[in-house]
Amino acid sequence: MAQTILLIDNDETTIQLFMQVAAALNIEYLIMQNWARPQNLPGRKTIKAVFVNVEMSSVDLQQIIKEFIQNDEEEKAPVFILYSKSFSKQYQVAKRFPHNGELKKPFNAEELFEVLNACMDLEALIEYPEEKYREKIRNFRAYLTATNVLINKLEAYFE
């Protein structure tokens, strides 16, 4: 089952960062530049984390929390609030709602990775190319060893 992160934000820098990190980690993502209880959301079971810019005027954080944290029907997804000004009224109100963490903008890929790593099984998602080729390397080493043995025998034979 594909794992998806949901970003509700209209900041192009943040959107680009999420897209780059998601692509690097082989995670699907859904970007929404406003929140209006969309009908095209994938099942909540596939959404593994929700990131919400609480300083957007179109964000109804209470509705998002009901949708992802306080639902009893399905698996709950952690909700992280994004903000750029700690003194903003929207942030001050938002931090009173139940949520799983906060990221102050601008943040970098490493900070986003740490948050994702804490709430998702990233080890299962990341494909290490060396894992694919480990058996081929072992076979090649065995071939080289056998070749060296053969060369040594031929050298001893011709001496």
Side-chain angles (χ1 to χ4, degrees):
M1 181 184 302
Q3 296 191 45
T4 305
I5 55 175
L6 172 61
L7 172 63
I8 304 168
D9 200 343
N10 59 1
D11 175 42
E12 197 59 39
T13 304
T14 304
I15 291 171
Q16 289 300 317
L17 178 64
F18 267 81
M19 290 169 61
Q20 291 168 352
V21 170
L25 296 173
N26 195 26
I27 299 172
E28 292 183 16
Y29 57 88
L30 179 62
I31 309 284
M32 300 180 69
Q33 294 190 343
N34 60 34
W35 175 263
R37 186 150 167 88
Q39 301 301 318
N40 60 345
L41 268 179
R44 276 187 234 119
K45 286 186 179 183
T46 64
I47 295 179
K48 297 301 179 187
V50 179
F51 296 85
V52 183
N53 179 354
V54 295
E55 295 172 335
M56 289 173 46
S57 60
S58 64
V59 167
D60 182 355
L61 188 60
Q62 188 172 7
Q63 182 62 38
I64 293 167
I65 287 169
K66 281 181 187 174
E67 187 80 20
F68 292 101
I69 292 181
Q70 296 175 339
N71 73 75
D72 294 326
E73 302 164 14
E74 299 180 32
E75 208 171 298
K76 295 173 172 52
V79 173
F80 297 91
I81 58 176
L82 309 177
Y83 67 98
S84 57
K85 300 173 197 137
S86 57
F87 56 85
S88 74
K89 182 180 178 183
Q90 297 97 326
Y91 170 66
Q92 294 301 320
V93 170
K95 69 182 188 177
R96 293 184 199 139
F97 286 101
H99 59 282
N100 300 84
E102 303 170 5
L103 279 172
K104 186 172 186 329
K105 292 162 66 168
F107 49 87
N108 59 33
E110 290 81 15
E111 292 170 297
L112 179 56
F113 176 82
E114 290 300 320
V115 171
L116 290 172
N117 194 30
C119 63
M120 299 173 77
D121 183 14
L122 294 182
E123 285 293 319
L125 299 175
I126 300 172
E127 287 186 22
Y128 297 101
E130 60 270 11
E131 292 292 328
K132 291 183 194 175
Y133 301 110
R134 193 168 273 164
E135 185 65 29
K136 288 182 180 181
I137 291 170
R138 264 189 246 124
N139 291 340
F140 187 67
R141 283 186 182 144
Y143 170 77
L144 289 176
T145 301
T147 304
N148 279 337
V149 169
L150 179 62
I151 290 172
N152 289 338
K153 285 182 181 179
L154 287 172
E155 285 177 349
Y157 180 74
F158 289 112
E159 286 181 347

